[in-house]
Amino acid sequence: MPLSSTSKHQEWISGWGQTHPVHATIITPKSNDEIQALAPTLQQWIPRGMGKSYGDASVGHAVIDSHYLNQVINFNQVNGIITCNAGISLEDIHKISIPSGWFLPVVPGTQLISIGGAIAADIHGKNHHQSGSFSDHIHSLTMMTGEGEIITCSTEKDSDIFYATCGGMGLTGIILSATIQLLAIETSWITQSVTQTKNLEETLTYFDENSNVPYSVAWLDSLADQASLGRGIIFAGDHSKKSELAAGTPSLILDTPAPITVPCHAPNGLINPITMSIFNTFYYHQFSFKPAHGIVSYRPFFFPLDSVGHWNRLYGHRGFLQYQCVVPLPSGHDSIKEILEAILKAKTGSFLAVLKRLGAGNPLKPLSFPMEGYTLALDFCHTPKVLALLTHLDEIVERKGGRIYLAKDARMSTSTLKSGYPDLDKLITIKRRLDPHNKIQSQLSKRLNIT
Ligand SMILES: Cc1cc2nc3c(=O)[nH]c(=O)nc-3n(C[C@H](O)[C@H](O)[C@H](O)COP(=O)(O)OP(=O)(O)OC[C@H]3O[C@@H](n4cnc5c(N)ncnc54)[C@H](O)[C@@H]3O)c2cc1C
């Protein structure tokens, strides 16, 4: 296959947090055959999906952009099994699957990510406690190694490669296609309950006592202090049944409004403790007056931020950091309390603080993030004071036996990585086997001495 349609250009790229930009060569093949033909010609590369990982996971001096590899290869509308190229977005899968009553079994807070990115980060959703992570629903995947070899693997065939690739942050090779079991839905609506909690104990107890609810997530007011520490709003729900809809409501409809877009970077400092405090107080109290139960479309329930294009520009040119950790259950309540208290003490605030309960992880996947416990995701402005706070949070998470999510990370140390991912060496061994010339490297893998 000639390489004539593969394009290459130079561009500044970064993760979604817009920190640490790199001037990169973007290689854009138009087919999987082209990728294979390219392999021997490349010195160093990393796969890139839609660039929605916050830090430097999909950033490198050369990236293979999977943008054009966006075809559905086969979709069986009877059993919900879909085979697609890895560059296709979750949104584009939903455009095909929702009208025929199928939904992706695990979705993150945005559907503007690729299938390859979802597998490589082994993403989790609001239903991890019941449904596990994204790759738990993969029948098989086909990938290309650093040597240009094509491998199809699954939990049955070459399972060590499969498990290392699920959560492997692109370091074992580029995923070309995947076969995924979708979830049957009667409607595209969600029967939602909204619960306002007064403090952390109430918030965490909700998760502990409501594990039968398929989807749940809490927004926390990270500025609330003293008796209100950890207060928040819990959004929980499940796919509505047809019988729950008002007469005449169409049951399976796509919800795709045109997003409004933040046109340019906001001034640095727009998001500060005062604006955060006003936002948090307003956001928390508005739910005192809103109905606690209702039927909402799937989009605002799962993907509320997708209606604002380039919302990352609100943090200004210096960008922002998302910190996501998970702390194990036995001391989970104390751990989350200690983290929230440390944030208050540092007076940095966090614009967005989201808490979820995770179910058990899979120890066969050496770099997969989930473990049974509570996960907290926090957005911070990118400032020296915040960097010092995050190093302190790392110490708490390490001491408690937790770990940091690589899809969000832009700054943790190698020792924090090793403490959170004790099976890292398994990933490194498999990577050396598949990529003996160490071609596949990202800024993240170099920073953390993985490659
Ligand atoms: C608003 C928002 C909400 C989010 N919510 C959640 C959430 O609830 N849960 C969650 O788990 N994550 C969440 N994320 C993180 C996001 O789901 C992951 O970072 C995901 O990996 C992004 O996919 P992408 O296509 O943008 O990949 P990129 O950011 O481009 O790449 C991410 C990683 O995947 C690798 N990769 C990409 N494509 C391939 C491929 N074809 N083959 C091999 N490796 C590949 C890259 O090398 C990189 O290591 C959220 C992100 C945003 C911006």
Side-chain angles (χ1 to χ4, degrees), residues 198-330:
K198 292 191 181 62
N199 53 44
L200 186 63
E201 205 48 37
E202 270 193 22
T203 307
L204 296 176
T205 304
Y206 175 93
F207 286 102
D208 298 343
E209 291 178 352
N210 289 280
S211 58
N212 59 323
V213 181
Y215 298 101
S216 50
V217 66
W219 167 86
L220 294 190
D221 178 356
S222 65
L223 297 172
D225 203 353
Q226 309 286 338
S228 301
L229 181 87
R231 74 178 181 182
I233 309 292
I234 297 168
F235 301 89
D238 193 6
H239 299 279
S240 309
K241 303 276 180 237
K242 276 185 190 162
S243 55
E244 295 173 81
L245 302 185
T249 308
S251 54
L252 291 166
I253 47 163
L254 282 175
D255 185 357
T256 51
I260 52 159
T261 296
V262 178
C264 58
H265 284 98
N268 286 339
L270 174 73
I271 293 179
N272 60 53
I274 296 168
T275 51
M276 281 182 219
S277 172
I278 294 167
F279 173 84
N280 281 10
T281 306
F282 170 77
Y283 191 77
Y284 178 77
H285 286 293
Q286 67 168 321
F287 290 99
S288 313
F289 312 104
K290 282 192 172 172
H293 294 273
I295 294 203
V296 295
S297 168
Y298 68 93
R299 191 188 47 78
F301 182 78
F302 288 113
F303 317 117
L305 289 170
D306 284 357
S307 20
V308 186
H310 289 295
W311 60 261
N312 52 351
R313 291 178 177 160
L314 291 171
Y315 282 87
H317 279 289
R318 67 188 168 195
F320 70 109
L321 298 161
Q322 181 162 107
Y323 185 86
Q324 184 168 0
C325 62
V326 54
V327 286
L329 270 192

Side-chain angles (χ1 to χ4, degrees), residues 16 46-54 57-59 64 66 86-87 107-110 112-126 165 168-171 173-176 305-306 311 322 324 356 369 405 407-408 442:
W16 186 242
I46 188 74
R48 184 167 169 97
M50 296 185 73
K52 289 293 184 342
S53 47
Y54 282 71
S58 64
V59 179
I64 299 188
S66 63
V107 291
T110 170
L112 305 177
I113 70 161
S114 67
I115 290 292
I119 299 170
D122 196 20
I123 60 160
H124 56 274
K126 298 174 175 61
T165 301
M169 305 309 292
L171 296 172
I174 182 162
I175 302 159
L176 303 176
L305 289 170
D306 284 357
W311 60 261
Q322 181 162 107
Q324 184 168 0
K356 292 187 260 210
F369 170 71
Y405 192 12
K408 309 289 178 77
S442 59

